Amino acid sequence: MNDLDGKHIVLGLTGGIACYKSAELCRALTKAGATVQVVMTAAAEQFITPITMQALSQRVVYGSQWDAREPNNMPHINLSREADAILIAPCSADFMARLVQGRADELLSLLCLARPLETVPLLIAPAMNREMWAHPATQRNLKQLELDGATVFGVGQGDQACGETGDGRMLEPQELLLDVISFFQPKVLKGHHVLVTAGPTYEAIDPVRGITNLSSGKMGFAIACAAREAGADVTLVAGPVGLPTPRGVNRVDIKSARDMLSAVQTHVDRATIFVATAAVADWRTGNAADQKIKKDGSGATPVLSFVENPDILAAVAQSPRGQSGALFCVGFAAESHDLLANAQAKRLRKGVPLLVGNIGPATFGQDDNALLLVDADGTQEMARASKLSLARKLIASIATRTRASAQN
Ligand code: C5P
């Protein structure tokens, strides 16, 4: 199952050097399962040929409202009615102005105007020189496009083809792909702030050695991504992992359990949902050395003592907001056996409304997982699937629960 299976996207190209990125974007969209119908303005054809876009989309490219290939001679109607979304990438300053004015003298602006507003969303990836982007006329047009119901994906920052540096680059194809995928996810957590912990913690023995565990952080990162896709503001407190930050997520990197606790305390007051997926070390060394412990050749081994770490989830769940339900807390349990019994016991011990069990050795480092949701009413199994698709289901389930508890 691909993220864009069944989606049909009209990809509109307008005049800009970023058209070279649209070739890659077209490929990325089709790889993700979408069918793509490319429509190009005359200016776009100055930058990249329709042949290239036809080869990548496997469909004839349209460029004129007078194209007689459509039996009814109305490409602007036919193309817009078939689409699940129209994505203009790159969208030039001129094309933004045309959209704002409702111009209809060439195919792409004509079909944007002719699209059914309720069912065919318009997505815009602007691309232009930084002065053009910053100009009050462009910023005014951008606001008007949003008021008219378009989704504007924003711009990147950096070196521009003109030699200047600043805002206005088109987002990279992979970023746009993620924005399109995210756009299609139901916005079930709009207005929520979700705080997620993920990954292992690292407890120092001395400045060069420490104790950690095999958690990859992938499940927690997938949950942060799914929460963001669902429209929430998301803060991700991450232990030492090499994973890229999910798009649009505010990430706080920490090392030890005590760092994680203080990062959580900093952000938890704003949160309405707390999901603790981190594999927090149960103990830290009680006698961590300030300097590297040296081997002295005598065969003597260092003696480590241990101190129990704070239980972050239990502390948050037992706080007044956790207790009142203003903050919905979700715990995870990575077990090696007796998943149901262990998860049920852990839910009560931590004092959380929802505990999610998984088999640790079967999921650590993997891209897929299987979940067992345990709450006061019973259990629900989520069969083995990718961590992102499980995360989306879990987020939907959390959204239903928070809606229900808000009504009580
Ligand atoms: O007690 P155990 O580590 O099995 O509990 C797992 C759950 O508690 C996870 O949600 C984990 O993130 C959280 N936890 C925590 N702080 C700890 C230990 C676990 O937040 N010190």
Side-chain angles (χ1 to χ4, degrees):
M1 179 73 186
N2 295 307
D3 287 326
L4 293 179
D5 275 349
K7 299 288 184 222
H8 181 66
I9 295 175
V10 169
L11 175 61
L13 275 64
T14 70
I17 186 61
C19 278
Y20 82 91
K21 294 186 188 176
S22 306
E24 194 64 44
L25 174 61
C26 178
R27 212 179 160 80
L29 291 168
T30 54
K31 266 188 164 175
T35 48
V36 177
Q37 174 61 60
V38 176
V39 178
M40 296 173 70
T41 64
E45 291 186 20
Q46 296 291 322
F47 292 92
I48 188 169
T49 68
I51 305 285
T52 301
M53 298 309 294
Q54 177 175 347
L56 292 172
S57 65
Q58 304 268 297
R59 282 170 179 251
V60 170
V61 171
Y62 283 79
S64 163
Q65 71 272 43
W66 311 121
D67 195 318
R69 280 171 298 187
E70 293 289 306
N72 61 357
N73 222 323
M74 295 186 193
H76 64 295
I77 300 294
N78 304 346
L79 298 182
S80 62
R81 297 306 181 270
E82 288 166 356
D84 290 297
I86 299 173
L87 168 62
I88 311 291
C91 187
S92 64
D94 177 66
F95 200 77
M96 284 172 69
R98 299 174 66 77
L99 287 171
V100 166
Q101 289 181 356
R103 298 285 291 275
D105 56 0
E106 56 80 42
L107 180 60
L108 190 55
S109 46
L110 172 59
L111 75 84
C112 288
L113 191 69
R115 83 189 201 278
L117 272 179
E118 298 303 319
T119 52
V120 184
L122 179 60
L123 315 177
I124 289 174
M128 65 200 74
N129 163 270
R130 67 191 175 104
E131 299 290 1
M132 294 167 75
W133 174 249
H135 196 285
T138 303
Q139 291 301 312
R140 204 166 51 234
N141 287 340
L142 186 141
K143 284 200 191 82
Q144 188 58 52
L145 282 170
E146 287 179 329
L147 286 173
D148 290 348
T151 296
V152 182
F153 284 146
V155 292
Q157 202 266 344
D159 293 343
Q160 303 202 308
C162 51
E164 297 180 1
T165 304
D167 288 342
R169 288 167 58 108
M170 188 169 87
L171 294 174
E172 297 306 315
Q174 281 305 316
E175 293 174 318
L176 284 174
L177 172 68
L178 294 177
D179 284 350
V180 171
I181 291 169
S182 179
F183 174 82
F184 284 117
Q185 295 302 318
K187 301 294 171 239
V188 289
L189 287 187
K190 202 160 177 51
H192 278 277
H193 186 118
V194 180
L195 179 60
V196 182
T197 66
T201 61
Y202 175 90
E203 311 297 332
I205 293 173
D206 67 19
V208 296
R209 305 184 184 91
I211 298 168
T212 186
N213 61 63
L214 287 175
S215 167
S216 64
K218 286 181 178 174
M219 194 67 226
F221 275 57
I223 288 170
C225 177
R228 178 71 193 137
E229 288 177 345
D233 268 349
V234 182
T235 301
L236 172 62
V237 179
V241 293
L243 298 174
T245 307
R247 209 161 150 62
V249 165
N250 167 36
R251 174 175 179 171
V252 182
D253 283 326
I254 55 85
K255 273 191 169 171
S256 70
R258 284 186 297 176
D259 296 342
M260 183 172 276
L261 176 64
S262 85
V264 165
Q265 284 168 336
T266 304
H267 292 94
V268 78
D269 288 347
R270 283 186 59 216
T272 52
I273 296 168
F274 177 54
V275 187
T277 68
V280 185
D282 289 320
W283 305 280
R284 67 179 178 276
T285 43
N287 55 344
D290 292 338
Q291 295 186 339
K292 185 182 175 191
I293 303 169
K294 305 296 279 183
K295 195 166 57 174
D296 65 8
S298 71
T301 53
V303 178
L304 299 179
S305 71
F306 290 94
V307 181
E308 193 168 310
N309 268 328
D311 191 318
I312 302 165
L313 174 60
V316 170
Q318 280 148 34
S319 69
R321 289 184 68 240
Q323 291 289 297
S324 71
L327 175 66
F328 187 84
C329 294
V330 183
F332 262 70
E335 305 293 344
S336 59
H337 60 284
D338 291 341
L339 186 56
L340 176 58
N342 280 316
Q344 281 170 329
K346 197 160 288 183
R347 190 184 82 80
L348 297 176
R349 189 152 41 80
K350 302 272 179 179
V352 292
L354 178 62
L355 200 293
V356 183
N358 57 177
I359 298 293
T363 187
F364 279 161
Q366 306 291 316
D367 289 325
D368 58 3
N369 198 359
L371 303 180
L372 178 69
L373 277 57
V374 179
D375 66 10
D377 299 326
T379 62
Q380 182 197 346
E381 278 186 45
M382 290 186 180
R384 188 156 281 279
S386 76
K387 287 186 174 171
L388 184 56
S389 64
L390 288 172
R392 286 177 182 147
K393 281 192 191 157
L394 180 61
I395 286 297
S397 174
I398 292 171
T400 309
R401 289 159 201 271
T402 52
R403 266 198 306 276
S405 64
Q407 281 158 8
N408 289 334

